[in-house]
Each structure stands twice: as C-alpha cells, then as structure tokens.
Amino acid sequence: MTEVARGGVEARVAVLDIGKTNVKLSAVSQTGEVLETLSIANPVQAGPPWRHHDLNGLGDWVFASLAALCERHEVSSFVCSGHGSGGVLVGPDPDAANGGAVLPMIDYEQSLPDGIQQAYLPLSGSFLDRGSAVMLGATHQARQLFWMQQAEPEAFARAQWYLGVPQYWAWRLSGVAVSEATFLGAQSHFWNVAEQRWAPIVSTCGWERLMPPFAAAWDRIGTIRPALSQRFGLPVNLEIIAGIHDSSANFYRYQAAGLREATVVSTGTWIVALSPSTPLARLDEHRGMTCNSDVQGRPVGGALTMGGREFSHVAGDQPDDRAVSVETLLRLIDRGTLALPSFGDDGGLFPGSAGQGRIIGLAPQDADERKALAVIYTALLTAECLDALGSDGLVVLDGSFLREPLYAALVAALRPGRETLYNLDSYGVASGAALLAGHTARTCPAPIAVEHPPSVPGLVEAMAGYAQRWRQLSRTHTFERLQKGH
C-alpha cells in the first residue's frame, strides 16, 4: 500500500541522520529513493563541563530545514537515525533552554576523567550486558550517564528521561519519550539484547526512572508539537516515527527488500558486518565483535574494524583518484607485498595489534601501488569479519569502498562458491529509515539495486595462497605481540 498525501501525490518521509561529524536531512520516497538532501556540520563546543554537541544551534537548523523540505515535498512523516554513541539527559520540556537537556550531550570522543573509567568497569556487566568490549573514550551511553551522575548530581536529579540520539529528536518534535531496541542494542551498555532485559547497571545506579517505555522503530509515537508547527510553519499533521540506529537502518533496508538472511557489510570509516544467523556463542568481544539488535529486537552478530582509517594509512592521505587497475593488483599479489594489521589505534579483529601495522615484501613503488595495496588489505579485513561471523551464505557489500570497482571483486574472490552482491547506493541509512514508514503496510519486498561483482580472470587462484599467507602472518604477528605483553 502506498501512502498518499493531499492532492493525490505520494507522501514522502523526512529522514534526519545524525552522524558524528555531519548531519543530513533528506526527503525520501516510501520506497527508499532519496529525492533531496540538506546537510550541516554537527557542531561541538569545548565545554564546560565537557566537550559537547550544540543542540540549540542544531535544533534551529533541523526545524527550519524540515520546514523547507515540507514546502518542496509532500512530507507526511519524520524519522531520525543516529550513531550509537550518543544520548541526551532531558527534563520535562522540549522547549526549555539547551534543547531541553539538563546537561550537555557528551562528545563520545571526549576522554574520561581520572577515576570514572575505573569506577565504571566493575558495574558494566557481562559481554552480553554490554554487547561489546569496553571501547575508547566516552563511547558508551551508560558510561556517559555514569559520568553525568558522578560529576553533576544536582542537575542529574532534575532529569526526567535519558534518550538515545534518534529518540531525542523524536521527543523534540513530538514531546513523546520512548526507548527503542536497535539503538539500545548498539553497545549502549544499557540493554542485554540476547535476554531482552536491562543490564544490571541500570538498577544498580537507579536509572530505571530515566528509561521511557519501549516503542518499535517504526511506531508512530505522535504528531508534531503545535508550538513547533506554528513557529516554523510545519504541517500540523506531520507524524513522528520512533527512530533507529544508523547501521541498523541500513541493515533493515535489506531485510525490507526480502534479503532477511544476508550478512550486510557497510564500509566507510568502519567496516561493519552484521549477520542475523551468527550464534551468540561465536561472538568474541576481544576481536571487535558485537551483539546488536534488529528492528524486531532479535540479536544480530556484528564484527567491526576501522577499515577506512586502515585504508588511509596504507594508501596515504591523498591517494590517486583513478581506479585501481587489474594489472597493478595482480602485480602486488604476485610479488607477495602484504599489509599486516593494524596501523591505527584500534586492533579490531587482531587484538594487541594496534599501532603495529607494517608492510612486508617489496614496498609499493608509487601512489597507484599504495592504493592497490590498500584495496587488497581492506578486502582481506572484510573477509576476516565475515569469517569471524561464520557468514557462508549471501553477503551484500555497500558503502564508500564500493567506489573502487575491484574491492567487491576481491571480496568475492576471497569467498569462492558463495554468493556476494554489492550495492552502489550511498544513501543506505536514509533509505532504510524511510522504509520504516511503510513497515506495517508493506506487502511485497522493497526495491533495491544489487549486482554481482565483476569477474576478474585468475583472481580467485591468485588470492588463495596470498590470503592464506596474510592470515598466517597477521595472526602470528598478533600472537607474538600479545605474548610480549603489548
């Protein structure tokens, strides 16, 4: 069923995507086609009391931009997606100063004060309570809330709700506060996805009162608040949807398209692989693996590594914009030039390897070879994520790595006999979030454009021995570092 707005025109969905560094607001069709996008940097202020996001300034842009999109498109509903490492402690009034926040929203890359991490760790629970290892900085929402409670007890006592990023913006627009499974399941440390319960830290710290009732990601929780509608000229009947975690929105796009058992690999700063069929017992927090949630609240196995950062270290800051040639790729493979993990600050699937990355064999001779080696290396990291999850079935690749045509071909060559597809659409989060608007009415799979990677003669054979040697050396290198206590 297609929703129709006034005048018989198909209704659109406004999707707000809150990223760490940038914010996008898009008008999207109910089938997931992005029609127009506006964007702005996500402003961060130095403090006090900590480095934080400018919710006031961002709010003015969001509401004014939403009004502009509504003038140009028949927008009937609004949904927000966001990164999983942020939330806002709010009072009762969305119109209050500071965007209704009783304390500023912590920038998750902010370092923690002395003592907060040490006090937090014993409270953080088991791996399934957390859904991940304890990551760097102020990454996890529960750790941010703990810091707020310790540092600002008087303001903390005035709070009414703690809301994840998508649910905060839904509250700003509707006045209705909800919790949502995909966002809590994105390593918030609040929610045990596997057992469908709050993690022990919630009761230990007395946070139950701050956690609003659950809504499904696709639920229409209310309509636009009259005060906002009047101030910005927004449609009075604009419906507000509960909202979703950004990687989960992209994953949902494939579920809505009927690819329910596919492992989805999103690429960018992070390589994020999500698999609905990975057993919980297979997840290893020490290898960058996570337990996430799909829109139904079911566990989803995850494996992630900072592939984009690793690519930049190998390729250099300004790699050649030309596509990698097959000849260059095969030349590097033939002579055995290898990039071994990890060059950045995150060891990912190779614990203890952070900052220990190295190139062995004849070094790349120019920018073309550096870029080609980086493409091979990130394809190997992708295959390692898939191996960790035990993903032997259909895999779909998407994100920024697909701009390089041979990346998908390499991943496919690393898993011969198993189906690999790719998607060149760069708006997966917005598309997936928009598809929530039609969740209950959808009677057939949502359209999606996926393709098989190009076949490169000789690549499967060339990569077989190369990949085996890379895995052996990468794991030996990691083991040696761990044995030495690094």
Side-chain angles (χ1 to χ4, degrees):
M1 184 177 75
T2 299
E3 185 176 344
V4 177
R6 61 186 181 275
V9 178
E10 182 186 347
R12 309 304 191 190
V13 184
V15 178
L16 178 65
D17 180 17
I18 305 291
K20 174 60 174 67
T21 56
N22 293 290
V23 174
K24 298 176 182 178
L25 182 66
S26 302
V28 189
S29 77
Q30 300 236 347
T31 57
E33 179 187 1
V34 177
L35 306 170
E36 181 182 356
T37 297
L38 308 172
S39 63
I40 190 174
N42 194 354
V44 174
Q45 299 179 335
W50 39 66
R51 199 164 67 237
H52 59 272
H53 291 278
D54 180 8
L55 297 174
N56 265 345
L58 187 55
D60 289 342
W61 179 86
V62 168
F63 303 141
S65 298
L66 180 57
L69 281 188
C70 289
E71 287 182 359
R72 295 192 288 272
H73 305 273
E74 293 288 349
V75 174
S76 65
S77 54
F78 168 94
V79 62
C80 181
S81 63
H83 65 83
S85 296
V88 187
L89 192 65
V90 303
D93 183 6
D95 285 324
N98 303 315
V102 298
L103 285 168
M105 176 185 169
I106 295 173
D107 172 8
Y108 76 79
E109 291 188 304
Q110 163 85 53
S111 57
L112 294 167
D114 292 341
I116 292 294
Q117 176 76 334
Q118 290 78 6
Y120 174 79
L121 284 174
L123 304 175
S124 63
S126 68
F127 167 63
L128 290 179
D129 290 328
R130 292 180 273 104
S132 74
V134 178
M135 299 178 183
L136 299 175
T139 299
H140 308 289
Q141 294 177 65
R143 190 163 49 177
Q144 295 170 18
L145 192 59
F146 180 74
W147 183 5
M148 292 177 181
Q149 187 176 31
Q150 301 305 307
E152 301 285 346
E154 292 183 8
F156 189 92
R158 297 195 302 271
Q160 182 164 351
W161 304 114
Y162 183 82
L163 302 173
V165 168
Q167 288 69 54
Y168 166 73
W169 288 101
W171 175 77
R172 286 284 300 268
L173 268 73
S174 70
V176 178
V178 298
S179 298
E180 189 277 323
T182 65
F183 205 78
L184 289 172
Q187 296 78 61
S188 70
H189 290 194
F190 289 133
W191 184 246
N192 185 315
V193 175
E195 299 175 17
Q196 297 290 289
R197 61 166 173 79
W198 294 110
I201 193 171
V202 174
S203 59
T204 299
C205 294
W207 295 342
E208 297 100 327
R209 70 177 184 86
L210 298 173
M211 303 299 160
F214 272 83
W218 62 83
D219 279 346
R220 287 165 164 79
I221 62 172
T223 55
I224 191 78
R225 293 188 296 112
L228 277 183
S229 175
Q230 293 168 11
R231 180 181 173 191
F232 291 96
L234 292 161
V236 295
N237 59 349
L238 182 68
E239 294 187 312
I240 311 303
I241 295 172
I244 190 169
H245 175 235
D246 51 11
S247 293
S248 301
N250 189 54
F251 185 69
Y252 173 69
R253 176 173 60 150
Y254 294 97
Q255 291 183 311
L259 304 177
R260 297 187 180 278
E261 299 305 315
T263 296
V264 177
V265 181
S266 302
T267 62
T269 301
W270 291 86
I271 297 171
V272 180
L274 295 176
S275 167
S277 57
T278 299
L280 292 175
R282 192 180 179 99
L283 302 178
D284 182 354
E285 64 176 305
H286 303 296
R287 297 191 65 219
M289 301 185 76
T290 62
C291 181
N292 291 60
S293 170
D294 71 4
V295 293
Q296 303 284 358
R298 296 171 299 210
V300 175
L304 63 159
T305 190
M306 293 194 81
R309 298 276 174 89
E310 294 291 293
F311 182 98
S312 296
H313 279 291
V314 176
D317 293 333
Q318 294 181 317
D320 195 312
D321 289 336
R322 293 174 297 177
V324 170
S325 71
V326 172
E327 292 76 19
T328 303
L329 197 76
L330 293 175
R331 183 167 65 248
L332 287 169
I333 295 169
D334 182 62
R335 75 187 189 207
T337 299
L338 296 165
L340 301 180
S342 296
F343 294 85
D345 296 331
D346 182 82
L349 293 160
F350 300 93
S353 69
Q356 304 300 318
R358 58 181 177 176
I359 294 172
I360 65 171
L362 181 62
Q365 300 299 295
D366 53 30
D368 284 349
E369 290 197 353
R370 287 195 302 274
K371 183 177 181 183
L373 183 61
V375 173
I376 297 170
Y377 177 44
T378 49
L380 287 162
L381 290 175
T382 302
E384 195 71 12
C385 287
L386 296 173
D387 287 347
L389 292 169
S391 296
D392 290 328
L394 173 62
V395 166
V396 185
L397 310 171
D398 75 10
S400 61
F401 285 14
L402 277 302
R403 296 171 191 161
E404 171 47 60
L406 288 177
Y407 165 75
L410 279 162
V411 175
L414 288 165
R415 48 193 320 269
R418 292 165 286 180
E419 189 173 15
T420 304
L421 299 173
Y422 72 95
N423 184 351
L424 291 175
D425 179 6
S426 60
Y427 295 99
V429 172
S431 295
L435 288 169
L436 290 170
H439 178 86
T440 57
R442 187 172 298 112
T443 57
C444 58
I448 194 166
V450 290
E451 304 175 43
H452 286 95
S455 177
V456 178
L459 188 58
V460 171
E461 296 76 13
M463 284 300 292
Y466 182 93
Q468 183 178 9
R469 183 165 181 256
W470 180 85
R471 292 187 188 102
Q472 181 181 13
L473 290 172
S474 295
R475 289 167 183 165
T476 301
H477 181 48
T478 297
F479 178 77
E480 289 174 350
R481 297 297 302 174
L482 290 173
Q483 288 292 97
K484 293 177 181 178
H486 292 279

